[in-house]
Amino acid sequence: MRIAIIQFSPSGNTLKVSEMLKNELEQKGQDVQFIDITREKQLFIDREWSSFLAEKVVRHDVLLIGSPVYAHHLQYHMKDLLQALPKPDQTWGKYAVPYVTYGGISSGIALKEAAGLLRKSGRKVPAGMKISTSHRMTRAFMEKEFNRDLVPELSLQSVRELVNRIMQMEGRESKSNHKSLDYNGLVTTLKANIIFKEKLWHEKRYPKVSIDRSLCIACGKCSKVCPVLHLCFRDKLVTESSDSSCIHCLNCVTECPQKAVKLMGDLEKGRSFMKKMIEKNGNREQPATAVYPLVH
Ligand SMILES: Cc1cc2nc3c(=O)[nH]c(=O)nc-3n(C[C@H](O)[C@H](O)[C@H](O)COP(=O)(O)O)c2cc1C
């Protein structure tokens, strides 16, 4: 079978899962095209989603879509990509399988949203996967990155299960199991759509990043790790691009050797909010990591 993996991984967790998927599929003799959209200028600056897809993606039977969960949702750039997908045809297979990584608080409605958009694009969604990983945002302002010590072997088990399910699809018609991706129910859907409005959180709630010019030594490290090219390095100066908004992965904050990239706003309030979220919801979602539909 031919598989195309398209993945977005601002801070590396989804990438690890995507690479595991690629390796496992290749070990089973599958033909895999791997497309990482992280830091793609054509997407984040030029916003040419359709032409990017048309140019890059080769013929496949199954499309795998990997993304992190942000504010209970499928990260919004991945939504942009799914909205730009062409209908299935000779090149584009009719099956798609979404997978997400999340920071152990809530996987929210990300898989449900991915399934909805993939169905809208004319695809069947026979399976999906969520992987509980570390919470990358917490590493920038909490004492310790939440779930930092989770062992990757837990993910590998699910990755292998998903690969087996994909292999079973070979040569036969598969049905869409998209409803199984609505596992978190109505209350989470309402919470995600009413409280955790992703773009609003980026605008108003997440701590803002700012560069202290008196400390900056213009090494450019922050711009190299910016997954959406919001920070750019020109004429030995780091500047914020207005073409691409910050998505608050906070890579730049942890990467800066001078601590010149700072978080603004009421950090104590942020810490206390996150602490409460972790105490109330941290590692409560059951199963934490799973392949859907669940097999009982
Ligand atoms: C802006 C932002 C929002 C996040 N929102 C959630 C969330 O709602 N629930 C959750 O469990 N984890 C959340 N996380 C944690 C990420 O989903 C998790 O760390 C993910 O594995 C990151 O993937 P990446 O390393 O591929 O970017 C969030 C992280 C960031 C940076």
Side-chain angles (χ1 to χ4, degrees):
M1 250 191 311
R2 284 167 181 263
I3 319 279
I5 299 178
I6 306 182
Q7 73 106 44
F8 180 44
S9 182
S11 57
N13 282 349
T14 313
L15 180 64
K16 280 189 202 143
V17 172
S18 303
E19 284 174 344
M20 276 186 212
L21 271 168
K22 179 177 182 284
N23 290 342
E24 291 295 316
L25 283 161
E26 284 178 343
Q27 272 177 27
K28 302 255 179 187
Q30 306 303 308
D31 190 346
V32 183
Q33 184 189 16
F34 190 88
I35 299 173
D36 181 10
I37 67 165
T38 317
R39 295 183 51 78
E40 269 294 341
K41 177 178 173 292
Q42 201 178 345
L43 300 180
F44 301 115
I45 304 292
D46 307 333
R47 293 166 204 251
E48 293 171 352
W49 295 89
S50 301
S51 44
F52 175 87
L53 289 168
E55 282 161 27
K56 294 275 175 356
V57 181
V58 299
R59 189 171 76 72
H60 58 271
D61 307 293
V62 185
L63 179 62
L64 299 192
I65 295 288
S67 165
V69 175
Y70 269 23
H72 287 48
H73 293 272
L74 187 72
Q75 201 284 329
Y76 70 86
H77 288 301
M78 200 38 105
K79 286 188 197 161
D80 292 341
L81 184 132
L82 297 189
Q83 275 157 358
L85 280 178
K87 296 262 176 241
D89 60 11
Q90 308 284 35
T91 304
W92 292 85
K94 64 177 174 186
Y95 297 112
V97 173
Y99 59 96
V100 291
T101 67
Y102 73 106
I105 291 181
S106 173
S107 65
I109 56 169
L111 279 178
K112 175 184 170 175
E113 288 177 324
L117 291 168
L118 287 166
R119 295 247 308 150
K120 220 169 162 189
S121 75
R123 286 164 177 80
K124 286 188 184 178
V125 182
M129 176 172 74
K130 64 170 181 181
I131 303 269
S132 177
T133 54
S134 65
H135 198 302
R136 300 298 273 156
M137 186 184 241
T138 58
R139 88 205 128 127
F141 61 94
M142 304 291 285
E143 228 167 75
K144 189 180 167 213
E145 180 175 355
F146 181 59
N147 272 349
R148 190 181 62 190
D149 304 323
L150 269 189
V151 284
E153 284 71 26
L154 290 176
S155 318
L156 187 56
Q157 218 175 316
S158 291
V159 164
R160 287 190 170 145
E161 192 184 330
L162 186 65
V163 166
N164 286 337
R165 299 238 193 138
I166 293 168
M167 303 275 299
Q168 282 162 15
M169 289 163 60
E170 186 150 24
R172 58 158 98 145
E173 276 294 311
S174 297
K175 63 175 181 149
S176 197
N177 286 310
H178 56 279
K179 286 193 180 143
S180 68
L181 300 184
D182 186 10
Y183 51 81
N184 264 337
L186 185 65
V187 174
T188 306
T189 303
L190 290 174
K191 239 199 223 170
N193 289 332
I194 297 168
I195 303 171
F196 296 101
K197 289 187 174 175
E198 193 190 355
K199 286 197 177 163
L200 192 82
W201 276 63
H202 281 299
E203 231 172 81
K204 301 227 154 89
R205 305 291 296 268
Y206 292 133
K208 296 257 175 308
V209 162
S210 144
I211 299 161
D212 183 340
R213 302 264 166 228
S214 66
L215 295 175
C216 177
I217 52 165
C219 65
K221 282 189 178 159
C222 56
S223 65
K224 280 199 191 111
V225 294
C226 179
V228 292
L229 309 174
H230 171 66
L231 292 182
C232 37
F233 193 56
R234 259 187 244 124
D235 303 327
K236 294 196 175 167
L237 196 68
V238 178
T239 49
E240 295 185 47
S241 161
S242 53
D243 296 327
S244 176
S245 303
C246 172
I247 59 165
H248 300 100
C249 67
L250 309 187
N251 287 350
C252 50
V253 175
T254 53
E255 201 63 23
C256 177
Q258 292 298 107
K259 301 211 182 315
V261 189
K262 294 191 166 147
L263 290 176
M264 306 298 284
D266 191 345
L267 277 193
E268 259 330 300
K269 202 170 153 199
R271 268 186 211 111
S272 134
F273 174 78
M274 189 56 93
K275 199 163 166 263
K276 273 193 206 131
M277 290 285 279
I278 290 172
E279 275 164 12
K280 192 163 165 241
N281 305 313
N283 296 331
R284 298 277 199 288
E285 193 166 303
Q286 283 302 326
T289 288
V291 175
Y292 292 95
L294 294 175
V295 178
H296 297 287

